[in-house]
Structure formats: structure tokens, C-alpha cells
Amino acid sequence: MDPAKKMQTLHYIDKKVEKQSFLSKLNEWKIGVIPLPLYVALALIIYGASVYNQLPPDMIGGFAVIMVMGILLGEIGLKVPILKDIGGPAILALLIPSILVFYNLINPAAMEAVTTLMKTSNFLYLYISCLVAGSILGMNRKVLVQGFTRMFVPLLLGTLAAVVAGVLVGSLFGYEMKHTFFYIVVPIIGGGIGEGILPLSLAYSQILGTSAESFVSQMIPAAVIGNIVAIICAGLMKRLGEKRPELTGNGVLVKAKGGDGISNKTNITKPVDFSLMGAGLLIACSFFIFGSLAHKFLGIPGPVLMIVAATLVKCLNVMSAKMEQGAYHLYKFVSTSLTWPLMVGLGLLFIPLEDVVKIVTPAYVVICSVVVIAMVGTGYFVGKFMNMFPVDSAIVTGCHSGLGGTGDVAILSASNRMSLMPFAQVATRLGGAATVILATLLMKLLS
């Protein structure tokens, strides 16, 4: 009798499975964490609102557009073979929106909402502020100090290697060395469009007596291509770290006993306290505002001063563990949930494919690629000899060839190492500022 009873029980379960509704099966398919039917319904609502001009032209509409696109593109990037191993989500989230804009396939209502979110509300800097504050305050003090002091060696040597390699390869393709240096290499390592290319274009125009706009259109393609190559390199470095775990700290820059990129496990294992996360948001915003205020008196870029302030607060141990925990949990939420949507916004507004298409040739792409590969490769090998994790050292050094804060987000997202954001920001801001100053002086000297 016992076997018969067991058979009946199994038969009953099979019937239940057979009766499972079609909708329940559909709900098992997910876009990100959202069941497919719900995602389709939400996407149709947002699309319909944009078509009939009912999409709010503010943060609400902006978040709706970038979230619905970012979740989908990130999910596709994680699933496509080969692409998923070279930073697929970051590449798709940046390039697909840019291509849609290039072919005029994004309607005006959606663009207006995203523009308000990204430019008027400055969502990029809010994102970076949360990551910088949370990752620094949640980091081991010893590792933090060692990371900042050691990262400059691979950064400097990587920059020199990038310049030499780029100029030499450019000359092989028939480019004049001066042109390769000032219009291809320097834009790639200049710290992005706003902080690098625009100041450079103004400086070049004053020195050479030509309009700044002509220089902008010459330099932007190099920066965009360099950033794409850096994203791919970051994805490959991530893949190398997965195959050779001893080469990576998974977001830790310096090898240290008991050192771990994120502080004591208490912050990680403690349950999320939403009131503390609110305090973490206030702390992140205050660090950014401090940087802007101090910039007025010191002349140093605000984001750099924000990092310095957060580092001093951490090293001097003046903030309570509870507040650090709140900032850390906010950082985890932002980096987990908002990275791909943010990159959609950046792709819609800050990746101008029109300028890239005008000037790009196969030789041009090769030169840009060699510049970035030389920098990343140098960061890898120098980091290896400096008791740093070579994979993480290479990724941080590669951030110097990104599109400023935009590039840092994309590169670290592709490598799944958002905790390296403070180091990436230093590489981008200080490295970029130094590049702009030296390039301007050299241009004046050689003219």
C-alpha cells in the first residue's frame, strides 16, 4: 500500500504542474528582477505617455525612461555570448541609446525628461557622490591610504606608455606625431569632455587663433572610441580575474593582511536600516557641496576635494560606525540598481556618434585602441610589482582613458568593481587635469 500512496502523491503533484497557468509561466521569465508581463506593461505605459506628450518633463519622467531602457539593455548584455564577457551591459547601455539618438528614434518628450534628469538635476554627480562617500567610508583605512599612495606609479607610467605607443603607431599609419599627440592621445587621457576636451579646445583656439568648435569635433571621436576600448579591456580584466582569482582583489587595490576593500564585515552583514541610508544620502550630498565650496577658494576641482574630504574623515575616524554603515548601504543600493539606467542617460546625451562617424577610419580606431591597451597593460604589470592586485590596478589605470565620470561608471560597471570609484575618480580628475595643463603648455611651446 505504501508504494501506491506514494505514486498517488506524485501523480497529484504532476496534475498541479500541468494546470499551471500560462501567465504563471510567463512570470517566471524576468527582465532584470521584474517579471516579463509586468515589465511589458510598464514599458507600454511609459512609451504611450511619451508618444502622447504626457510624460512628465522632470525627474519622474527621466527616471522612468532610463530605468525601463537600462534594465532591458543590462539584461541583454548579461546574456549575449562573448559580449557578456567584455562588459556587455555597459556597452549596450551606452551605445544603443546613442545609436537611437543618431537615427532620431527617441521622441522629444523622452529626451526632454532625460535631459532634465541628467543635466538640470545633475544625476551623474549625485550617483558619483553616493559611490565615493559610501565606498571610502566603508573601506579599510590602511588599504585606503596605501591605495591612494601607490596608484600614482602605475598611473604615471601607464600615461607615458600610452603617449609613446600612440605616437609611434600613429606615425606608422602616416599621422604626424604632433597631430597624433594633441588630437588623439591627449583627448583620450584628458579626463572626459567637460573637464578635458572643452578646456583643451578653448586653450587650442586661443593659441592657434581658430574657433574652439572645430577642435571639439576633432577630439571627441578619440575620447569616445578610447572609452569603448577601455570598457572592453575592463570586461576582459574581469574575465581574467574570474579565471585566475589570485590576480584580483575583486575591488581591492592593495594586497594587505586582513585588508579588504570594504570595511569590517559588520557593515556588510548588518541588516539595512533605511533611516541610516537617509543619513548616508545627506552625507554624500554634503561631501559634494563641500567640494564645490572649497573649489571657489582653492581652485582645485570639486570632485577631487570631495574625495580628499571623505578620505580625511575616514582616516581621522571622526564619523561614527553607524553613519559609515548608512553611507555604505546607500552606495550598494545605488551601484546595484542605478548603474545601467545611468549609462542609458549618458548614452542619450553625452556620446555624440555624429562626431565620431565623421572622422573615424580603421587606422584611427587602431591608434585609439593602442593608447588604451598600453595604459591598461602598464597598469597591470606595474601593479603586479608594487604588491597591488594587477587586475584591479589595470582597471583603475584604464579609467584615465575614459570619458571622465561617465567613463569611470562604464568601466567599473563592466568590471563589476564599483568600490574602486574613489581611485578611478582620482585617476580621471588629477590625471586629466595634469594632461590638460601639460598639453596646453606644449602646444604653446611648439606653436
Side-chain angles (χ1 to χ4, degrees):
M1 292 294 290
D2 288 339
K5 286 180 181 176
K6 287 181 182 175
M7 288 290 288
Q8 286 175 356
T9 306
L10 287 171
H11 184 63
Y12 175 73
I13 292 172
D14 286 341
K15 274 189 174 181
K16 292 283 285 185
V17 171
E18 285 172 11
K19 289 180 180 178
Q20 188 179 24
S21 70
F22 177 68
L23 185 59
S24 298
K25 288 179 181 178
L26 269 183
N27 276 323
E28 292 175 3
W29 289 73
K30 296 185 185 297
I31 305 296
V33 296
I34 303 175
L36 180 60
L38 177 59
Y39 176 85
V40 171
L42 296 174
L44 288 174
I45 290 169
I46 295 162
Y47 178 72
S50 67
V51 167
Y52 289 101
N53 241 8
Q54 296 302 308
L55 189 71
D58 51 26
M59 287 179 64
I60 297 174
F63 268 121
V65 172
I66 66 171
M67 290 292 288
V68 79
M69 292 179 68
I71 291 170
L72 176 63
L73 293 172
E75 185 71 12
I76 294 171
L78 285 172
K79 296 289 171 61
V80 177
I82 301 176
L83 191 62
K84 66 181 181 181
D85 297 325
I86 57 171
I91 293 171
L92 291 184
L94 276 176
L95 292 186
I96 297 299
S98 184
I99 292 168
L100 292 175
V101 171
F102 180 73
Y103 287 106
N104 201 27
L105 295 175
I106 300 290
N107 65 47
M111 282 300 293
E112 183 183 359
V114 174
T115 302
T116 301
L117 173 67
M118 300 298 298
K119 291 188 173 179
T120 307
S121 301
N122 211 356
F123 176 47
L124 173 61
Y125 279 114
L126 173 64
Y127 177 94
I128 290 175
S129 300
C130 292
L131 262 63
V132 166
S135 56
I136 287 180
L137 295 178
M139 198 177 288
N140 179 287
R141 287 180 188 82
K142 184 180 177 183
V143 173
L144 178 66
V145 173
Q146 287 182 345
F148 278 126
T149 52
R150 292 190 198 184
M151 67 171 282
F152 288 103
V153 178
L155 179 62
L156 177 61
L157 294 178
T159 302
L160 292 174
V163 170
V164 172
V167 169
L168 288 177
V169 173
S171 64
L172 291 176
F173 281 107
Y175 284 76
E176 186 188 350
M177 285 190 175
K178 183 179 174 183
H179 178 87
T180 303
F181 176 73
F182 286 108
Y183 298 102
I184 299 178
V185 177
V186 168
I188 291 174
I189 61 176
I193 295 175
E195 296 88 348
I197 288 174
L198 295 183
L200 277 170
S201 65
L202 292 172
Y204 288 2
S205 68
Q206 288 177 359
I207 295 168
L208 301 175
T210 313
S211 70
E213 289 78 11
S214 63
F215 294 115
V216 171
S217 61
Q218 284 186 68
M219 292 189 285
I220 280 181
V224 173
I225 293 169
N227 192 67
I228 293 169
V229 176
I231 292 169
I232 294 170
C233 287
L236 293 172
M237 282 290 141
K238 176 191 173 190
R239 184 75 172 159
L240 177 61
E242 289 169 352
K243 289 188 174 180
R244 300 276 303 280
E246 70 277 8
L247 297 176
T248 180
N250 292 310
V252 183
L253 197 56
V254 179
K255 296 177 182 177
K257 287 182 182 177
D260 133 73
I262 303 295
S263 144
N264 32 61
K265 292 184 179 179
T266 52
N267 273 354
I268 300 173
T269 55
K270 278 185 178 175
V272 174
D273 186 324
F274 295 109
S275 60
L276 292 180
M277 283 179 67
L281 178 60
L282 174 59
I283 291 166
C285 294
S286 299
F287 275 133
F288 180 81
I289 293 168
F290 170 81
S292 302
L293 178 64
H295 167 70
K296 181 177 176 61
F297 300 102
L298 300 176
I300 299 171
V304 173
L305 292 171
M306 171 179 68
I307 294 167
V308 171
T311 303
L312 286 174
V313 166
K314 179 64 181 181
C315 292
L316 297 175
N317 201 23
V318 295
M319 191 168 288
S320 71
K322 283 267 188 190
M323 294 297 99
E324 290 182 354
Q325 177 191 334
Y328 170 73
H329 282 148
L330 176 69
Y331 142 74
K332 291 300 291 181
F333 164 73
V334 169
S335 62
T336 302
S337 304
L338 299 179
T339 298
W340 299 336
L342 172 71
M343 282 190 285
V344 168
L346 298 174
L348 288 171
L349 299 177
F350 299 109
I351 307 293
L353 281 194
E354 187 176 351
D355 292 330
V356 176
V357 170
K358 287 177 186 174
I359 201 170
V360 168
T361 63
Y364 191 92
V365 173
V366 170
I367 297 167
C368 295
S369 301
V370 166
V371 170
V372 177
I373 291 167
M375 180 169 287
V376 172
T378 304
Y380 179 90
F381 288 108
V382 173
K384 202 170 186 178
F385 288 108
M386 292 193 63
N387 201 35
M388 302 167 76
F389 288 105
V391 165
D392 302 87
S393 173
I395 291 167
V396 168
T397 307
C399 286
H400 186 26
S401 55
L403 280 171
T406 304
D408 291 343
V409 172
I411 292 164
L412 297 183
S413 168
S415 58
N416 194 26
R417 282 163 174 77
M418 282 299 181
S419 59
L420 293 174
M421 180 60 80
F423 304 112
Q425 284 283 290
V426 169
T428 301
R429 306 291 178 181
L430 292 185
T435 300
V436 170
I437 293 167
L438 288 173
T440 303
L441 294 174
L442 281 172
M443 176 66 86
K444 196 167 186 179
L445 188 66
L446 296 174
S447 297

